[in-house]
Amino acid sequence: MSPIADLLSTDHIHCDALFADAEEATAERDWAAAGRIFADFRGAMDRHLAAEEDTLFPAFEARTGMRGGPTQVMRAEHEQMRGLLEQMQTAVERHNDAAYLGLAETLLMLMRQHNMKEEQILYPLSDQALGDDAALVGTLDQTLHPA
Amino acid sequence: MSQAGLAFEQAPPLGAPLRLFLIAPWFLVIAALAAIPSAGDWTAGRWTPAALGLTHLLTLGFLDTVMAGALLQMLPVLIGSPLPQVRPVAWLAYGGLGLGSPLLAAGLALGRPPLLDAGLLALAVAWLPFLVAGAVSLARAPAVAAATRAGMRHAWLGLALTVGLGLYLGGGLAGLWPLASPVEFTRLHAAWGLLGWLLMLVVGVAYQVVPMLQLTPPYPAPMTRWLASLLLALLAAYSAQTFLIEHATADLAGWLGFGAAIAWFAFATLRLQNRRRRRLPDTTLDFWRLAMACLWLAVLFAPLALFAPEPWRDPSQVVLGLVFIVGFAVSVVAGMLYKIVPFLAWFHLQAQTGARAGTIPNMKEMIPDAAARRHLMLHLAALLLVLPAPFLPAWLSAPGLLLLAASGYVLWRNLDQARRLFLQYGGRLD
C-alpha cells in the first residue's frame, strides 16, 4: 500500500501532460489554446505544490522530526518553479514563443529532477511514516481534485 | 530510515562537474587530429599502437571524463545518495583523468614505458578514490530506486574491473611485472569497459532520463527488471569462456547474447521516444536516436568484425570500434551534456543569486538550440566520413577527422558559453 506515492505520482503525470500540451500550442503559436491550456497547467501546479506544502510536508516534518532536510530543499525548488511559471505567464500574454519555450525547457528539467527525488525517496518515506493516515490522504486528494 | 537518502542538498558546486565537462571535448579534438598523421597505422587494426592510444584518448579522455562529472551530479538525484567527499574526489578525477588520459595514450601509441608509468599513476589517483566514494554512495542508497540502483551497482563493478585489468595490463606493458594471458585479459578489459561500464551506465541512466526528457512512458518492466542483470551474466559467461574455450566460439556466443540484449535496449528506447508526449524538435533527442541507430549498426556489423576472413577482419574491427565509441557513446554523452550543463548553470545561478526568473538566462539562452544543432550536424558528417576509413586509402580519412575535431571544438565552445554567462550574471563556481 502506497496511497501517498500513488496519489501524488499520478498527479505528476497529469501535470506533465498539461505541460506538453501547453508547450505544443505555444510552439504552434496557437495563442488562444496556449493561454487556456497554460492556465489549466498553472492551476494544476498550484494545487500540487499547495497539497505538498500545506498538508504533506508539515505532517512529514512533525512525524519524522526532519525539518531542515528534504522538505526544505523541496520547498526551495517549488519557489524556483513558481518563478518560472510567473515568467511563462508573461510570455503567453505577450505572445513571446521564444521566451516561453526557453522557460518551459528549464521548468521541465527542474520539475522532472524534482519529481524524481520525490517519487524515489520522499513519497515512499512519507508512505512509511504517514501512509495509514486516511484523513491526511483524504485532504491531499481534495486539494488536488477540488469538486 | 536512511538519512543518506535524504541529503538532496549535498549536490556538488557547479565547478566540480563543469571542469570535467570542459576538458573532455579537447580530448576529442586531440584524438581526431592525432588520428590524421597516424591513419596508415590505426586503420590497419585495433591492436596497432596508434589504435590503442586513440581508443584511450576517446574513452578515458572524453567519455569517462564526462561520465565521472555527470555521476558526481546525478547520483544524488538518480539514487538519492550523494558521493562522500565530493569536492576532493572531483579534483582528483579532474587532475588524474586530465593528465593520465594523454600520458597513457601517448605511452601506448609510442611504446614508451615512462609515459605509461606516469599515465597509470595519474589514472589510479583519479579512479581509486572515485570507486571508493561510489561504493559508499551505492551502499547507502535507499532501497526505493531499485532499477536504477541495480544498473549503477553493475556499472560500478564494470568500472572497477576495467580499471583493475587496465592497471594490470598497463603495468605489464611498462615492464613493472610479467603479464600472464595478456590476450585474454585485454579481451576482458575491452568487454568490461565498453559493455560492463559504458553501456551498463547508459542503460541505468536511460531508465530515468529518457522518460524524463521527452515525457515518454516508462521502459517496459521486464527490461528494467532484467536487462542489467542479463548483461552482467553475459559478461561473466563471456569472461569464463575466454579462458576455457576457443576465442571464435566465445565470440559467437558473445555476439548472440550481447547482440540480442543491445538490440532489445535500442529498440525499446527508440519505441519509447516515438511515443513521447513532447513533440518539439530537440537536439538531445536526435543525438540519442543516432546513438541507438549506431547500437543496431554495431550489432549487425559485428559478425563481419568477428568472423570475416583475414584481410577483412582487421579493418572491420576498427569500424566496429568506431561505430560503438564515436557513433553510440560519444553521441549519447554529447546529447546529455546539452541538457545537464545549461540546466545546472541556470539552477546554480538562480539558487545563488535568488534572481527572479527572466532576469537570468534560461536553458535555451545558456546554449541556444541552433548552436547545439551545429554540433550534431558536424558530428554526423564526421561519423559518416570516418566510418568507412579503415577500408579506404589512409589519406581519405582526413576530411572526416577534421570535421570530428571541429565537432569537439564546437562542443567545447557551446559548453563554455554557458560557463561565461553563468559568471557574467554573478555565479560562483565553487
Side-chain angles (χ1 to χ4, degrees):
Chain A
M1 280 292 287
S2 47
I4 296 173
D6 291 348
L7 193 60
L8 291 167
S9 303
T10 306
D11 199 56
H12 282 162
I13 296 172
H14 174 63
C15 291
D16 288 345
L18 289 170
F19 168 90
D21 291 344
E23 190 185 42
E24 193 171 356
T26 308
E28 287 166 3
R29 307 179 61 93
D30 180 352
W31 294 111
R36 183 165 35 82
I37 304 168
F38 179 78
D40 288 348
F41 169 59
R42 197 172 179 191
M45 288 291 290
D46 284 343
R47 287 192 295 279
H48 188 93
L49 303 185
E52 291 181 345
E53 290 176 0
D54 301 342
T55 307
L56 179 66
F57 294 172
F60 180 87
E61 289 160 358
R63 181 68 62 93
T64 63
M66 286 187 276
R67 280 166 210 289
T71 48
Q72 194 182 1
V73 178
M74 295 294 100
R75 284 178 209 270
E77 292 186 358
H78 286 180
E79 278 314 305
Q80 291 182 305
M81 290 181 206
R82 288 195 176 96
L84 288 167
L85 285 164
E86 183 69 41
Q87 287 301 123
M88 287 161 78
Q89 176 90 52
T90 308
V92 171
E93 285 163 5
R94 293 181 185 165
H95 296 189
N96 185 342
D97 51 324
Y100 184 95
L101 295 175
L103 293 160
E105 171 92 350
T106 313
L107 177 67
L108 183 71
M109 282 289 284
L110 177 65
M111 209 162 72
R112 294 291 295 215
Q113 62 89 35
H114 175 89
N115 294 357
M116 205 183 283
K117 291 185 284 199
E118 290 186 337
E119 290 172 17
Q120 307 229 26
I121 315 290
L122 190 67
Y123 295 167
L125 290 177
S126 300
D127 272 316
Q128 279 175 28
L130 303 159
D132 52 3
D133 186 340
L136 176 97
V137 176
T139 310
L140 287 174
D141 197 5
Q142 275 170 15
T143 313
L144 297 177
H145 311 109
Chain B
M1 197 174 287
S2 165
Q3 294 285 327
L6 299 168
F8 298 152
E9 71 275 26
Q10 290 178 25
L14 178 62
L18 192 61
R19 264 187 289 276
L20 286 157
F21 296 156
L22 284 168
I23 53 166
W26 290 110
F27 291 117
L28 187 57
V29 173
I30 294 169
L33 294 179
I36 295 174
S38 62
D41 192 359
W42 65 265
T43 52
R46 63 170 167 157
W47 300 111
T48 56
L52 292 174
L54 292 170
T55 302
H56 286 83
L57 269 183
L58 290 172
T59 52
L60 281 166
F62 181 71
L63 298 172
D64 286 345
T65 301
V66 175
M67 282 155 56
L71 280 174
L72 299 174
Q73 184 65 45
M74 287 167 84
L75 278 177
V77 179
L78 288 177
I79 62 168
S81 178
L83 285 170
Q85 299 298 324
V86 66
R87 287 167 197 241
V89 167
W91 276 110
L92 291 174
Y94 176 67
L97 286 167
L99 289 172
S101 309
L103 285 170
L104 181 81
L108 288 169
L110 307 172
R112 300 267 168 82
L115 292 176
L116 284 175
D117 289 344
L120 291 170
L121 180 67
L123 292 167
V125 167
W127 282 130
L128 298 181
F130 188 85
L131 282 165
V132 171
V136 173
S137 161
L138 286 164
R140 283 185 189 162
V144 281
T148 295
R149 195 185 52 165
M152 296 290 155
R153 282 188 172 163
H154 296 346
W156 182 92
L157 179 67
L159 177 63
L161 285 171
T162 308
V163 170
L165 289 166
L167 291 175
Y168 170 71
L169 290 164
L173 276 182
L176 298 179
W177 44 70
L179 278 182
S181 315
V183 175
E184 283 74 17
F185 282 120
T186 305
R187 285 163 64 89
L188 297 195
H189 172 69
W192 284 94
L194 294 177
L195 303 172
W197 156 238
L198 217 157
L199 179 68
M200 191 78 81
L201 187 68
V202 170
V203 167
V205 169
Y207 293 159
Q208 299 292 338
V209 303
V210 168
M212 165 180 173
L213 295 176
Q214 302 305 327
L215 301 176
T216 75
Y219 275 86
M223 174 163 284
T224 54
R225 195 165 307 141
W226 297 113
L227 179 61
S229 304
L230 174 68
L231 279 172
L232 193 65
L234 286 167
L235 279 159
Y238 177 81
S239 304
Q241 282 174 347
T242 295
F243 284 98
L244 297 176
I245 62 177
E246 229 196 328
H247 288 170
T249 317
D251 285 341
L252 178 62
W255 175 63
L256 290 172
F258 290 120
I262 290 170
W264 185 29
F265 171 70
F267 173 77
T269 303
L270 289 170
R271 187 158 168 271
L272 284 186
Q273 288 174 334
N274 267 337
R275 294 167 63 201
R276 68 195 185 281
R277 276 302 295 255
R278 217 173 169 215
R279 307 304 304 186
L280 305 182
D282 185 274
T283 307
T284 294
L285 174 68
D286 293 337
F287 268 116
W288 270 77
R289 289 166 147 177
L290 174 61
M292 294 303 118
C294 286
L295 276 185
W296 267 92
L297 185 61
V299 172
L300 295 176
F301 190 78
L304 204 58
L306 296 172
F307 314 119
E310 203 55 75
W312 287 82
R313 195 182 308 165
D314 287 339
S316 299
Q317 289 178 348
V318 178
V319 174
L320 183 62
L322 286 168
V323 172
F324 194 87
I325 293 172
V326 181
F328 160 64
V330 172
S331 302
V332 164
V333 160
M336 290 307 300
L337 282 172
Y338 284 122
K339 295 293 181 188
I340 297 173
V341 169
F343 175 67
L344 288 181
W346 176 85
F347 183 82
H348 284 277
L349 192 57
Q350 204 289 327
Q352 284 176 12
T353 63
R356 288 180 54 75
T359 61
I360 57 172
N362 65 44
M363 276 178 70
K364 290 197 176 183
E365 288 160 343
M366 289 283 181
I367 302 180
D369 272 339
R373 195 151 288 274
R374 264 197 296 282
H375 173 208
L376 173 68
M377 290 304 145
L378 279 169
H379 175 70
L380 180 62
L383 187 65
L384 292 174
L385 288 175
V386 167
L387 279 187
F391 287 101
L392 301 172
W395 61 270
L396 267 178
S397 63
L401 291 167
L402 282 171
L403 286 177
L404 191 63
S407 80
Y409 172 72
V410 169
L411 173 61
W412 173 79
R413 208 184 47 192
N414 288 345
L415 301 179
D416 193 59
Q417 179 183 337
R419 183 191 65 91
R420 277 184 282 118
L421 281 170
F422 175 82
L423 294 174
Q424 189 185 317
Y425 279 83
R428 294 179 313 280
L429 288 169
D430 285 291

